[in-house]
Amino acid sequence: MEKKAVLIGALDTKGHEYQFVKDALQACGIDTFVVDTGVLGEPLFKPDVSADEVARAGGSSIEELRRQNDRGTAVSVMTQGAANIAVQLEKQGILGGVFGMGGTAGTTVAASALQALPIGVPKLLVSTVASGNTRPYVGVKDIMMMYSIVDIAGINRLSRRILNNAAYALAGMIQQAGLEQESADDKVTLGITMFGVTTPCATRVREILEKKGYDLLVFHATGTGGLAMEELIKAGYIKGVADITTTELADDLVGGIFSAGPNRLNAAGAAGIPQVVSVGALDMVNFGPPETVPAQFKGRTFYQHNPTTTLMRTTVSENRELGRMLASKLNEGTAPTILVFPKAGVSLLDMAGKPFEGKEERLALYEGIKQQLRSDITMIDMEQDINDSAVADVIAEHLLKLLEHKKDG
């Protein structure tokens, strides 16, 4: 079945604009498939999936939404329905790429469908809010957002250019995807987590694994980085992990800006893939500029990493709890797991003579882990700091052994 460009949007209020994009895609030789999410009135042209079908996929019906006449409810139902429809189309082999556009409501509905799709599927969203905070719409998926400049209300000199560019971009992605062939000798993909203060370790581990023929994805542990890695593990892309930098746990516990949420460190264990885990950058919690640090932390130890990033040293009690958290997460999994603990420091700042040097904090972290960790999970104590080459070598060596063992099994 030839894959199509799936257009998702409200054909009652944006029908002319969707017709324009549909025509532009077809002029590029791309077949289209249209999903209507409009609630207010009848579509300008007949879609392939009606608004009522979308509403029912979201747990209601068009008649009920129109009767209630509540915009919030309608957006919520159509958001869920659009996501469910998109997943169905992808499973059916119809979907080659997805397009959406709109203001806040239209962007929300279309984004839900795009976020529900696997990484690698072409996704493009023209939006009036694309120049602001796009995290709610992009999440951890490879969604391309294009700022519409003007409101999406009619075809004019400027919107014509913007929408044509969007159509051409999506057409190119779909056409290129059709040319790509999965190679029989594709490398096995592994994930590594890294922060600026764990870069030497992560870089050496990456280089060792690459020399062994593995494909490495490096994730910056800034919340979205950890979430992206977890998502790719769940999707089956990543087959093993060197989770060197677990700092996002500290932000989640204490309230920093780089939290990856409560499910960080769960995916590998649930998927059963080999993982070597360490305690990189658990000495710090991240905030923005100094004036953004909450008043409750006055008097704590800080380090100004750059003008927009303020680091706060984690305390003894926080480290003990972080140790318990880390161990508990590893305990829940079924993955072959090894934990490497560098006793001389967990980051470039937590070393002798450095701003976050903390022997008591590291001891509390160590004790928290030991108290909680399952007896069958191997914990390797290293006398060096995390960025010492010996630590990187041990991480790489043990991950390679776990991968070989899994391959042989």
Side-chain angles (χ1 to χ4, degrees):
M1 180 183 296
E2 187 172 352
K3 294 182 181 293
K4 302 178 180 181
V6 174
L7 280 57
I8 301 177
L11 301 188
D12 51 0
T13 59
K14 309 294 182 191
H16 290 289
E17 295 83 356
Y18 272 94
Q19 182 70 66
F20 182 89
V21 173
K22 176 180 168 70
D23 292 343
L25 285 164
Q26 290 177 333
C28 293
I30 304 294
D31 287 338
T32 59
F33 188 97
V34 181
V35 178
D36 183 17
T37 60
V39 174
L40 300 177
E42 295 305 309
L44 180 75
F45 60 91
K46 183 176 175 57
D48 296 282
V49 176
S50 70
D52 187 53
E53 291 175 271
V54 176
R56 292 185 185 280
S60 186
S61 68
I62 280 297
E63 291 81 5
E64 179 62 20
L65 294 179
R66 288 174 179 169
R67 186 190 65 78
Q68 292 182 16
N69 193 29
D70 183 272
R71 181 177 174 82
T73 299
V75 170
S76 178
V77 168
M78 300 308 273
T79 294
Q80 185 60 57
N84 292 340
I85 293 291
V87 170
Q88 292 173 18
L89 294 176
E90 199 273 332
K91 288 180 179 178
Q92 292 168 10
I94 294 172
L95 191 148
V98 193
F99 174 87
M101 62 178 155
T104 53
T107 300
T108 298
V109 173
S112 71
L114 274 59
Q115 288 185 19
L117 295 170
I119 290 171
V121 173
K123 311 170 186 73
L124 198 149
L125 187 52
V126 178
S127 172
T128 61
V129 295
S131 68
N133 176 18
T134 59
R135 185 172 181 177
Y137 310 111
V138 174
V140 294
K141 292 299 179 72
D142 53 339
I143 296 171
M144 177 186 292
M145 288 190 75
M146 180 181 290
Y147 184 38
S148 63
I149 309 297
V150 293
D151 203 353
I152 299 170
I155 303 300
N156 53 58
R157 182 179 182 181
L158 184 56
S159 67
R160 181 179 294 108
R161 182 62 181 270
I162 297 295
L163 294 180
N164 264 328
N165 285 346
Y168 301 154
L170 185 64
M173 286 189 280
I174 293 173
Q175 289 166 340
Q176 185 60 36
L179 296 174
E180 292 177 358
Q181 298 292 327
E182 288 293 333
S183 173
D185 61 348
D186 273 351
K187 296 179 180 179
V188 173
T189 299
L190 308 177
I192 294 182
T193 51
M194 187 175 81
F195 227 30
V197 292
T198 60
T199 295
C201 179
T203 299
R204 186 172 176 88
V205 171
R206 174 180 60 78
E207 290 172 348
I208 293 171
L209 296 173
E210 284 177 341
K211 286 179 181 177
K212 292 294 184 179
Y214 289 95
D215 184 39
L216 273 298
L217 304 181
V218 181
F219 298 90
H220 197 196
T222 55
T224 52
L227 286 169
M229 186 179 76
E230 302 275 321
E231 186 70 28
L232 285 167
I233 291 170
K234 288 187 284 186
Y237 280 83
I238 293 176
K239 305 301 183 182
V241 180
D243 206 343
I244 295 164
T245 312
T246 47
T247 184
E248 289 153 321
L249 297 182
D251 282 58
D252 188 52
L253 175 67
V254 183
I257 61 173
F258 287 163
S259 168
N263 296 321
R264 174 71 174 91
L265 224 73
N266 291 358
I273 64 171
Q275 62 175 344
V276 177
V277 179
S278 193
V279 291
L282 283 177
D283 56 328
M284 61 188 63
V285 178
N286 295 268
F287 296 102
E291 63 272 15
T292 68
V293 178
Q296 69 197 68
F297 297 119
K298 185 178 180 180
R300 295 278 293 265
T301 300
F302 294 96
Y303 179 80
Q304 201 62 43
H305 184 61
N306 58 49
T308 61
T309 306
T310 305
L311 308 179
M312 181 177 76
R313 187 43 162 115
T314 48
T315 64
V316 169
S317 61
E318 288 166 353
N319 273 275
R320 185 168 286 108
E321 181 58 27
L322 285 168
R324 296 191 190 108
M325 283 175 58
L326 177 61
S328 294
K329 286 176 175 292
L330 298 183
N331 290 347
E332 293 171 5
T334 60
T337 299
I338 292 174
L339 178 60
V340 176
F341 194 99
K343 288 187 171 181
V346 303
S347 84
L348 289 173
L349 294 180
D350 177 33
M351 298 165 60
K354 298 298 182 181
F356 282 178
E357 179 185 4
K359 294 180 180 179
E360 291 184 16
E361 289 85 351
R362 288 197 301 275
L363 179 60
L365 178 63
Y366 183 84
E367 290 174 344
I369 293 172
K370 292 291 283 187
Q371 289 168 7
Q372 202 76 22
L373 192 66
R374 270 186 2 224
S375 59
D376 61 313
I377 296 177
T378 300
M379 181 169 174
I380 300 174
D381 300 344
M382 302 286 294
E383 296 304 319
Q384 300 88 345
D385 70 86
I386 196 166
N387 290 300
D388 190 289
S389 60
V391 175
D393 291 348
V394 165
I395 291 172
E397 173 192 345
H398 282 84
L399 182 56
L400 286 168
K401 287 181 179 178
L402 292 179
L403 290 162
E404 285 300 315
H405 181 72
K406 188 172 180 65
K407 185 191 301 181
D408 294 340

